[in-house]
Amino acid sequence: MTMADRAQIDAWLRQAKADLQAGRTQSDDVSEDHRRYWLQQCCEKALKALGLLLWRGPASDDGTFRAHFLHKHSPLKELQQAAALPKSLKLLLREIEVELGKIDGAALLRKVDATTPTVDPAGVSYRYPFRAASGRHVAPCEWVTADWDGYQGNALGITAALDRFIKAVENAVKRQQRGPS
């Protein structure tokens, strides 16, 4: 890992922690859809830090790595759905899945990553109005915690999983800096 990689990983992790703190905010001034947005943002940034840490692809694949992972809203979902990825990105996806499996047995982080905001009125979004099964248009702020829990997973479980995830990435960075034991 180069110093530039370390600096970028650290920046992603600092922002992930800030997003997690915002997602933990519980007050009458913060609606559940906003909390869920920040939890998703935390997950996204922690995934990007992990992806940078694990990335070992050739320089010729760096542009594809950035286009299909670092510059995407739901990076894990993007890799899973992308067609014709180079071998290096397929390996990265497999490594990320292994790391997530170690800390997220309930797959909450995968579920959070998959909640990409969409302007499709038939798709649930924490940023844009959508159409409920009843056909009624719903503003995301109208959904209560139970609605979000059913869609994205329990918020307390998500915040605990995100805490574990950030700590796991930080520990992996430290291990990599120390080198082989």
Side-chain angles (χ1 to χ4, degrees):
M1 169 177 29
T2 68
M3 290 300 285
D5 292 338
R6 174 64 197 264
Q8 190 174 8
I9 290 167
D10 287 346
W12 283 117
L13 288 171
R14 286 192 308 274
Q15 190 60 47
K17 289 176 184 178
D19 291 344
L20 180 58
Q21 186 60 38
R24 283 190 166 120
T25 303
Q26 291 186 334
S27 80
D28 293 338
D29 297 332
V30 179
S31 60
E32 189 66 16
D33 60 309
H34 287 99
R35 288 185 62 226
R36 295 307 177 119
Y37 170 77
W38 291 115
L39 294 176
Q40 189 281 331
Q41 288 294 292
C42 172
C43 184
E44 178 181 322
K45 274 97 175 185
L47 280 167
K48 289 176 181 184
L50 178 61
L52 278 166
L53 181 68
L54 297 175
W55 177 243
R56 291 179 195 85
S60 59
D61 289 348
D62 280 351
T64 307
F65 167 66
R66 293 185 187 298
H68 285 283
F69 187 79
L70 278 186
H71 299 165
K72 290 299 178 180
H73 184 70
S74 295
L76 186 59
K77 179 181 175 181
E78 174 67 23
L79 283 185
Q80 291 168 334
Q81 293 179 344
L85 286 175
K87 183 178 180 180
S88 60
L89 279 158
K90 290 177 184 175
L91 290 172
L92 176 65
L93 175 60
R94 194 172 325 150
E95 286 185 83
I96 290 171
E97 289 287 355
V98 167
E99 292 301 317
L100 288 179
K102 293 176 187 176
I103 59 166
D104 186 29
L108 288 172
L109 298 176
R110 291 170 189 84
K111 197 170 187 178
V112 170
D113 176 73
T115 57
T116 307
T118 177
V119 294
D120 175 1
V124 175
S125 179
Y126 46 74
R127 291 177 63 184
Y128 305 105
F130 55 90
R131 195 172 302 123
S134 66
R136 183 177 80 83
H137 288 278
V138 177
C141 63
E142 296 169 339
W143 258 20
V144 296
T145 301
D147 296 319
W148 288 108
D149 284 354
Y151 175 65
Q152 195 180 48
N154 177 274
L156 291 176
I158 292 168
T159 55
L162 287 167
D163 255 337
R164 288 190 307 273
F165 186 29
I166 291 169
K167 285 181 178 90
V169 175
E170 289 173 331
N171 288 335
V173 168
K174 290 174 188 171
R175 281 192 307 275
Q176 197 173 89
Q177 280 187 304
R178 285 194 303 260
S181 9

